[in-house]
């Protein structure tokens, strides 16, 4: 008789880890192709990013109507966006709408956090082990764990000592949180911090922002979508998705073909003004073609944004602290804001510059910097994520011959197409490192990744193939190509999650190439060529 673990092990054709947008779409596709697939999700419901990140102010910075899935004409017909940059509650409703419409929950196990995954070479299967000891086995392991899903707490002495209310933006509670009459601290000024600070400042008693590195922020310019406008958008969906398809990051903002330095200063200024007045990432993504690669072009853009920030602040000493000095505009992920700078004109908001007075420790009543003790009722950590590879590291993934993925990626990822790793057969990594999806309007790239993986699995089934694994040569060539395309970006000269730096995580102090910077169209073309050539670069048997 089988032992107990064996008897309770669930068996599937494919295990998908994560029920965010990529896991949900992957499940649907596998089901349509007749695979027996099961999704395991750590949370209690679907939504991924939009399930966990419930902090005040959380919303899209992609235009809502470019973000939604394009694969289903019915979904496009039935779902209406009410804002151009939709907020988290609506985004989560959208995920629930998809789950209900396609009856996805019947194939999802919730509250199931995968602790380990191990390749069994003899059986040609993956075994997943959950935190509660349950197990599941499948021929294929598909990770749909997202690039920004492993929240990190700051490494500060006494981080667990605070006795008041305490939250991380990426693990926000499901109950309402009130800021009225409270003394609130926010640590961190990335995209999450900027959104949260702006919203909290509307109702807070007193707010203190602890900023280590300022970021360049430009206006989101959100607005409502009236039903008639939604109808007009719906009529243009084909054109909108075609436009996204041809774009480097699958946004609707396409870079201008000119160089910033080939026009007169007056023309350049007028163009910057025009872009700055537009919503979303127009200023970042729709700018002159060289602003993110050429230092002089970037300096011009940076000088323009500097003036805009200064004009919005009453106290120029605060402006001095909010204006970045160690990187140019757009070389770190740009937070889009809706009144962020004006928050610092409020009498009940204080900015603490940690470069002048670092945090020494967190205490039971608040935060102690090198020069003062600040007392609070609530401390919010907007301290980000162990990005891109962090969610992989939190699972003990063991491949062929006992090789650990954590060890293989200790000096940065090695992958083939950001979708598979040599030594880890039958593991497909949706939106994984070295994939175009990280710098992408992500559902656009999720659709491409999932379609590629599903077609590969279907091809294998039709040909009677049981194993897929990148060849060492293909992995080496792709990894070199990722490094080559990345090295052209000014962003690679700056510490950020995009370059794999996180001072709160051991071993993440050195910059590395985390994502494919050649753009989504080139990436898609490469994937299509590889599939057309019988999945060149993959050993199939
Ligand atoms: O995280 P971050 P995030 N002491 O890493 C600071 C996406 N997103 O959650 O820069 C003091 O950007 C840290 O300081 P520094 C988007 O892609 C999208 O804000 O390391 N401070 C930094 O200021 C985004 O880029 C949306 O010096 C400490 C902050 O914490 C990504 O998620 C909205 C510290 C972390 O910023 C991550 O954004 C939100 C310490 N010990 C997020 N440790 C949309 O709009 C860290 N910090 C869709």
């Amino acid at each position: 008789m089988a032992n107990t673990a064996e008897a309770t092990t669930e068996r599937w054709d494919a295990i998908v880890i994560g029920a965010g947008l990529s896991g949900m779409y992957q499940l649907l596709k596998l089901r349509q192709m007749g695979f027996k697939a099961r999704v395991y999700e750590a949370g209690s419901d679907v939504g991924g990013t939009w399930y966990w990140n419930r902090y005040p102010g959380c919303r899209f910075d992609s235009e809502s109507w470019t973000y939604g899935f394009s694969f289903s004409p019915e979904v496009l017909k039935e779902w209406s966006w009410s804002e151009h940059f939709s907020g988290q509650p609506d985004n989560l409703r959208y995920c629930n709408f998809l789950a209900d419409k396609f009856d996805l929950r019947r194939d999802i196990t919730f509250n199931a956090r995968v602790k380990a995954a191990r390749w069994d070479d003899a059986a040609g299967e993956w075994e997943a082990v959950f935190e509660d000891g349950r197990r599941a086995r499948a021929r294929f392991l598909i990770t749909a764990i997202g690039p920004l899903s492993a929240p990190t707490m700051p490494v500060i002495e006494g981080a667990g000592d605070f006795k008041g209310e305490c939250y991380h933006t990426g693990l926000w509670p499901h109950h309402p949180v009130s800021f009225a009459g409270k003394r609130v601290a926010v640590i961190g000024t990335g995209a999450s911090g900027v959104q949260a600070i702006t919203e909290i400042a509307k109702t807070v008693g007193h707010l203190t922002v602890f900023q280590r590195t300022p970021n360049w922020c430009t206006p989101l310019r959100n607005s409502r979508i009236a039903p008639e406008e939604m109808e007009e958008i719906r009529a243009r969906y084909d054109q909108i998705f075609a436009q996204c398809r041809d774009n480097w990051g699958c946004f609707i903002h396409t870079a201008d073909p000119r160089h910033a330095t080939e026009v007169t200063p007056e023309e350049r200024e007028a163009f910057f003004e025009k872009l700055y007045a537009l919503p979303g990432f127009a200023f970042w993504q729709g700018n002159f073609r060289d602003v993110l690669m050429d230092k002089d072009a970037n300096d011009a853009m940076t000088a323009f944004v500097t003036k805009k920030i200064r004009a919005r602040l009453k106290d120029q000493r605060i402006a001095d602290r909010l204006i970045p000095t160690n990187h140019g505009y757009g070389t770190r992920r740009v937070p889009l804001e809706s009144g962020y700078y004006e928050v610092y004109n409020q009498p009940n908001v204080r900015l603490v510059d940690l470069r002048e007075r670092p945090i020494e420790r967190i205490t039971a009543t608040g935060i102690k910097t090198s020069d003062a003790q600040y007392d609070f009722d609530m401390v919010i950590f907007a301290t980000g994520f162990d990005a891109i590879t962090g969610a992989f590291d939190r699972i003990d993934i063991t491949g062929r011959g006992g090789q650990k993925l954590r060890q293989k990626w200790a000096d940065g990822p090695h992958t083939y197409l950001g979708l598979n790793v040599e030594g880890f057969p039958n593991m497909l990594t949706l939106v994984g490192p070295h994939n175009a999806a990280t710098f992408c309007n992500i559902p656009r790239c999720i659709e491409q990744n999932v379609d590629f993986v599903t077609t590969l699995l279907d091809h294998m089934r039709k040909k009677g193939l049981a194993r897929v694994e990148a060849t060492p040569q293909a992995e080496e060539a792709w990894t070199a190509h990722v490094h080559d395309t990345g090295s052209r970006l000014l962003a690679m000269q700056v510490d950020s999650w995009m370059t794999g730096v996180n001072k709160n995580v051991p071993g993440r102090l050195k910059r590395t190439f985390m994502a494919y910077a050649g753009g989504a169209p080139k990436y898609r073309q490469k994937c299509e060529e590889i599939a057309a050539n019988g999945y060149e670069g993959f050993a199939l048997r």
Side-chain angles (χ1 to χ4, degrees):
M1 199 178 132
N3 65 32
T4 319
E6 187 63 19
T8 55
T9 299
E10 298 179 352
R11 286 198 135 73
W12 312 101
D13 295 332
I15 290 171
V16 180
I17 310 177
L21 287 171
S22 52
M24 287 199 284
Y25 181 46
Q26 184 65 78
L27 171 62
L28 182 64
K29 289 295 283 186
L30 288 171
R31 201 195 261 171
Q32 284 170 352
M33 304 292 254
F35 283 89
K36 229 174 97 201
R38 189 80 190 167
V39 177
Y40 293 95
E41 163 59 49
S44 63
D45 209 338
V46 297
T49 287
W50 306 110
Y51 170 92
W52 297 102
N53 290 267
R54 294 164 189 249
Y55 62 84
C58 181
R59 63 175 62 250
F60 288 156
D61 45 20
S62 311
E63 286 72 8
S64 313
W65 31 273
T66 69
Y67 185 98
F69 277 135
S70 71
F71 68 83
S72 161
E74 269 184 58
V75 168
L76 293 173
K77 189 160 154 243
E78 291 168 23
W79 179 263
S80 294
W81 297 105
S82 58
E83 291 178 275
H84 283 278
F85 300 90
S86 176
Q88 179 274 336
D90 261 359
N91 307 345
L92 187 57
R93 262 194 289 283
Y94 175 70
C95 297
N96 280 293
F97 168 80
L98 295 172
D100 293 341
K101 172 145 194 76
F102 298 108
D103 188 19
L104 295 177
R105 289 191 187 81
R106 71 181 153 90
D107 289 325
I108 305 177
T109 305
F110 294 105
N111 303 305
R113 188 177 286 280
V114 179
K115 183 175 82 173
R118 188 181 61 85
W119 171 251
D120 178 342
D121 207 50
E125 282 181 344
W126 280 93
E127 180 174 69
V129 183
F130 302 94
E131 267 181 350
D132 63 2
R134 278 179 292 172
R135 282 157 199 269
R137 280 184 162 251
R139 176 164 290 175
F140 297 101
L141 178 74
I142 304 177
T143 60
I145 52 186
L148 294 157
S149 57
T152 44
M153 287 292 282
V155 178
I156 302 175
E157 208 189 321
D161 291 357
F162 183 64
K163 296 283 182 262
E165 286 177 81
C166 192
Y167 309 109
H168 188 291
T169 47
L171 294 168
W172 199 260
H174 291 202
H175 60 76
V177 175
S178 167
F179 310 100
K182 292 181 187 164
R183 298 161 304 164
V184 175
V186 177
I187 302 178
T189 51
S192 305
V194 165
Q195 288 184 332
I197 288 162
T198 311
E199 195 57 30
I200 292 167
K202 292 176 184 167
T203 56
V204 75
H206 190 278
L207 176 65
T208 306
V209 176
F210 291 87
Q211 172 193 262
R212 188 165 65 185
T213 310
N215 280 306
W216 295 102
C217 311
T218 34
L220 175 68
R221 305 197 193 282
N222 186 26
S223 57
R224 307 281 310 168
I225 300 179
E228 321 74 75
E229 190 181 6
M230 190 61 229
E231 280 315 310
E232 187 267 327
I233 289 169
R234 212 171 254 126
R236 285 193 297 116
Y237 265 137
D238 284 351
Q239 182 198 331
I240 290 167
F241 292 128
Q243 195 177 339
C244 291
R245 226 180 121 80
D246 289 340
N247 179 263
W248 184 88
C250 293
F251 288 93
I252 48 152
H253 310 286
T254 302
D256 190 275
R258 295 169 298 168
H259 288 90
T261 41
E262 79 189 29
V263 299
T264 65
E266 294 72 28
E267 273 177 278
R268 195 163 56 226
E269 197 74 0
F271 186 58
F272 285 157
E273 279 292 356
K274 183 181 135 199
L275 292 178
Y276 191 81
L278 293 175
F281 283 136
F283 191 81
W284 189 23
Q285 309 259 322
N287 221 304
F288 294 107
R289 61 186 287 195
D290 55 347
V291 287
L292 301 178
M293 286 181 280
D294 178 85
K295 176 83 171 63
D296 291 340
N298 187 265
D299 284 349
M301 177 197 217
T302 300
F304 177 87
V305 182
T306 304
K307 273 191 297 184
K308 289 292 180 192
I309 296 174
R310 287 207 176 281
R312 291 170 61 181
L313 287 151
K314 287 185 190 152
D315 183 340
Q316 290 305 304
R317 285 167 308 170
I318 294 181
D320 289 339
R321 295 186 181 116
L322 288 170
I323 292 169
T325 50
N326 68 346
H327 66 283
Y329 178 89
T331 61
R332 286 177 127 208
R333 169 63 153 72
V334 173
L336 292 181
E337 51 82 29
S338 309
Y340 175 64
Y341 291 108
E342 285 73 11
V343 162
Y344 297 94
N345 294 333
Q346 287 182 212
N348 63 340
V349 176
R350 164 172 60 194
L351 176 67
V352 176
D353 189 334
L354 299 177
R355 293 166 299 181
E356 294 163 8
R357 51 204 72 184
I359 296 177
E360 283 184 351
R361 61 169 295 130
I362 304 217
T363 66
T365 56
I367 295 173
K368 185 175 179 328
T369 62
S370 57
D371 69 335
Q373 162 74 30
Y374 300 88
D375 286 341
F376 299 109
D377 302 303
M378 187 190 298
V379 173
I380 296 169
F381 295 104
T383 45
F385 303 88
D386 185 5
I388 309 178
T389 51
F392 288 90
D393 282 357
R394 290 184 185 189
I395 303 171
D396 182 17
I397 300 178
T398 312
R400 205 162 31 76
Q403 185 176 187
K404 299 281 181 191
L405 188 65
R406 264 184 214 141
Q407 272 159 16
K408 172 148 183 169
W409 286 356
D411 291 330
H414 296 258
T415 80
Y416 184 40
L417 295 178
L419 285 169
N420 181 240
V421 183
E422 189 260 334
F424 297 80
N426 292 7
M427 181 177 84
L428 287 316
T429 55
L430 301 175
V431 310
H434 288 184
N435 195 299
T438 305
F439 294 154
C440 188
N441 183 7
I442 205 158
R444 302 277 63 76
C445 286
I446 287 174
E447 287 184 332
Q448 184 276 339
N449 271 207
V450 168
D451 291 348
F452 180 88
V453 165
T454 313
T455 312
L456 167 66
L457 266 52
D458 191 46
H459 167 84
M460 289 176 66
R461 188 176 50 180
K462 285 181 181 143
K463 299 264 176 202
L465 299 162
R467 248 178 230 218
V468 56
E469 183 181 345
T471 65
Q473 298 79 2
E475 181 176 280
E476 201 184 319
W478 180 254
T479 301
H481 179 56
V482 168
H483 288 213
D484 179 45
T485 46
S487 61
R488 293 174 213 164
L489 295 180
L490 293 171
M492 277 316 300
Q493 299 164 23
V494 180
D495 287 351
S496 78
W497 68 257
M498 299 198 309
T499 51
V501 177
N502 186 326
K503 297 184 183 111
N504 300 314
V505 183
R508 291 270 197 275
L509 299 180
K510 216 176 91 207
R511 286 178 210 148
T512 184
F513 296 88
M514 296 297 265
Y516 178 60
K522 277 199 188 137
Y523 178 79
R524 189 186 321 109
Q525 192 192 346
K526 185 81 187 155
C527 287
E528 284 167 2
E529 281 167 16
I530 285 165
N533 291 333
Y535 294 97
E536 195 179 17
F538 289 105
L540 288 161
R541 62 187 173 88

